[in-house]
Amino acid sequence: MYRPRFSHQSDALNAADTAVWAVSDRAREMAQKGEDVIFLCVGDPNFDTPEPILDFARARLGVGRTHYSPAAGEPVLRSAIAEVESKVSPHPCSPEEVVVFPGGTNAIYSVLACLLNPGEEIVIPEPMYIGYLPIADALRLKIKPASFCAANHFAFDLDAIKASIGETTRAVMINTPGNPSGAMASPAQLRELAAYCRTRNIWLICDEMYSMITFARRHTSLRAVAEQLDNVVVVDGLSKSHAMSGWRLGWAVAQSPLTERLAEFAGATIFGCSQFIQEAAAFALEFDAYFVSQMRDAYCKRRDLLVERIERIPGLSCNKPEAGMFVMMDISQVAESSQAFAEALLAEQQVSVLPGAAFGASAAKHVRLTLANDEAELNRALDRIEYFVNSGKRKAG
């Protein structure tokens, strides 16, 4: 009898998705049956892509920009990204230092595939973005976590990262502003980490996907503060900041010869990104200030609302994140685990949140709530969460 055999990569990706998104998948099934489910689990902006960007994309479609693109990306977009990088950094950036990918996740996959061999070690702070684990598993990399302290609101911990770096470490990957915590590394921390990694002959990769969604202070790019750039890679994109998650566009900025290898890898695996999407992205980077500011202000108001409501519920607590689209809610006083809390909340109140254990052991007593809902929907969700927690206490009593 024939039995199909599949690759380790597909097994790793499928296993990770099943474990992480089980509660979310159940919530979607309930919604499809007509139940009034409130989704606080996914970081997909609820804003529409700004109309001028849509108009520009339509115009480029109208003139036939629907053909193959250079593997490294369209020159106009690479130049726009290089110009943005040059404005915020003392290091000039050339278009040759930019490679475009269909989304930040693909950029990270491509970077890791070009830097590390199967079995090699990469240090990643946790709580970490859940997309890192399946990528590392698919590439057969060994993740060594550097745990950030929950009691310190998962603040960026340079000492914890250094302590996790060993003789076999080949790369360090950080995420600032962080998903899920919203914590930001300081310029001094980034500068010191870049220098330390360089002395150890280690690559330092910085995922800066939430660079434009900051509240109290501006984001500082790793590329802006690192004294030397030959071991530095920065990944960014427009999915969050410009409400362009479905456009699938991200990029990596690094020095040659890495960008040459990345371009070759992109040419062999994706054969370039859509022309009209890249040109619309270049337009967005040039004319985005007003729209990004409006979205940032909305996220800030939602964050403040969510934090204020959570702090009023006995047994729950949270930190006010510095950046990003999420709030991490501490459920340690009301539930045995984040998985148990998320499953019960969905079953009893039809609110879907993401269990913190998916982000690493340090977040096991937290759940992640997204800011990608309007204020009315967030209030509805918090009403249900408050009732759920109070009801649980009455049952326990």
Side-chain angles (χ1 to χ4, degrees), residues 288-325:
D288 63 354
Y290 172 77
F291 305 107
V292 171
S293 175
Q294 292 291 103
M295 284 188 253
R296 185 190 302 119
D297 289 347
Y299 285 131
C300 187
K301 290 178 182 178
R302 295 171 185 183
R303 176 203 63 172
D304 292 346
L305 165 66
L306 210 58
V307 169
E308 192 271 334
R309 287 291 310 269
I310 290 170
E311 291 295 337
R312 281 168 30 197
I313 303 174
L316 299 182
S317 63
C318 67
N319 179 50
K320 181 180 285 189
E322 298 179 272
M325 292 174 55

Side-chain angles (χ1 to χ4, degrees), residues 152-228:
N152 199 27
H153 308 302
F154 308 114
F156 193 88
D157 190 338
L158 182 60
D159 291 335
I161 296 174
K162 285 184 175 182
S164 297
I165 295 173
E167 293 300 320
T168 60
T169 302
R170 282 287 311 279
V172 173
M173 183 160 64
I174 59 175
N175 177 207
T176 178
N179 173 7
S181 68
M184 299 168 65
S186 71
Q189 289 173 320
L190 291 173
R191 184 180 299 109
E192 183 177 344
L193 181 59
Y196 182 78
C197 287
R198 193 168 186 271
T199 63
R200 299 291 298 266
N201 198 30
I202 292 171
W203 288 99
L204 178 58
I205 306 151
C206 192
D207 175 357
E208 303 184 5
M209 191 59 64
Y210 294 88
S211 60
M212 298 188 194
I213 308 177
T214 65
F215 307 125
R217 59 187 173 101
R218 287 183 177 273
H219 164 74
T220 300
S221 174
L222 170 65
R223 199 177 180 282
V225 294
E227 295 180 2
Q228 303 291 330

Side-chain angles (χ1 to χ4, degrees), residues 363-374:
K365 294 293 186 178
H366 291 70
V367 295
R368 191 190 76 174
L369 282 63
T370 183
L371 302 177
N373 288 359
D374 62 32

Side-chain angles (χ1 to χ4, degrees), residues 271-289:
F271 215 72
C273 301
S274 300
Q275 288 180 316
F276 74 94
I277 288 179
Q278 292 185 73
E279 292 176 343
F283 174 86
L285 286 172
E286 187 175 357
F287 301 101
D288 63 354

Side-chain angles (χ1 to χ4, degrees), residues 59-265:
R60 302 314 294 165
L61 277 168
V63 296
R65 297 297 286 162
T66 57
H67 298 279
Y68 286 133
S69 175
E74 287 292 328
V76 65
L77 177 56
R78 297 172 75 196
S79 295
I81 295 167
E83 184 176 345
V84 170
E85 291 290 343
S86 296
K87 285 180 179 178
V88 300
S89 170
H91 306 290
C93 181
S94 72
E96 288 69 34
E97 294 176 289
V98 178
V99 181
V100 178
F101 296 93
T105 300
N106 185 262
I108 291 169
Y109 180 93
S110 302
V111 167
L112 295 184
C114 289
L115 294 184
L116 299 170
N117 296 309
E120 292 184 327
E121 180 181 278
I122 179 170
V123 169
I124 305 179
E126 58 96 352
M128 70 179 73
Y129 167 55
I130 56 179
Y132 296 155
L133 185 58
I135 290 174
D137 284 347
L139 294 172
R140 298 199 177 198
L141 306 180
K142 178 183 177 183
I143 289 183
K144 188 175 183 182
S147 295
F148 290 174
C149 181
N152 199 27
H153 308 302
F154 308 114
F156 193 88
D157 190 338
L158 182 60
D159 291 335
I161 296 174
K162 285 184 175 182
S164 297
I165 295 173
E167 293 300 320
T168 60
T169 302
R170 282 287 311 279
V172 173
M173 183 160 64
I174 59 175
N175 177 207
T176 178
N179 173 7
S181 68
M184 299 168 65
S186 71
Q189 289 173 320
L190 291 173
R191 184 180 299 109
E192 183 177 344
L193 181 59
Y196 182 78
C197 287
R198 193 168 186 271
T199 63
R200 299 291 298 266
N201 198 30
I202 292 171
W203 288 99
L204 178 58
I205 306 151
C206 192
D207 175 357
E208 303 184 5
M209 191 59 64
Y210 294 88
S211 60
M212 298 188 194
I213 308 177
T214 65
F215 307 125
R217 59 187 173 101
R218 287 183 177 273
H219 164 74
T220 300
S221 174
L222 170 65
R223 199 177 180 282
V225 294
E227 295 180 2
Q228 303 291 330
L229 299 180
D230 48 1
N231 71 317
V232 165
V233 187
V234 169
V235 174
D236 208 336
L238 301 180
S239 292
K240 312 299 184 180
S241 58
H242 293 67
M244 295 175 70
S245 53
W247 295 61
R248 307 314 305 135
L249 199 77
W251 56 80
V253 182
Q255 290 191 332
S256 178
L258 175 56
T259 50
E260 295 173 4
R261 289 176 179 262
L262 288 171
E264 292 170 355
F265 189 87

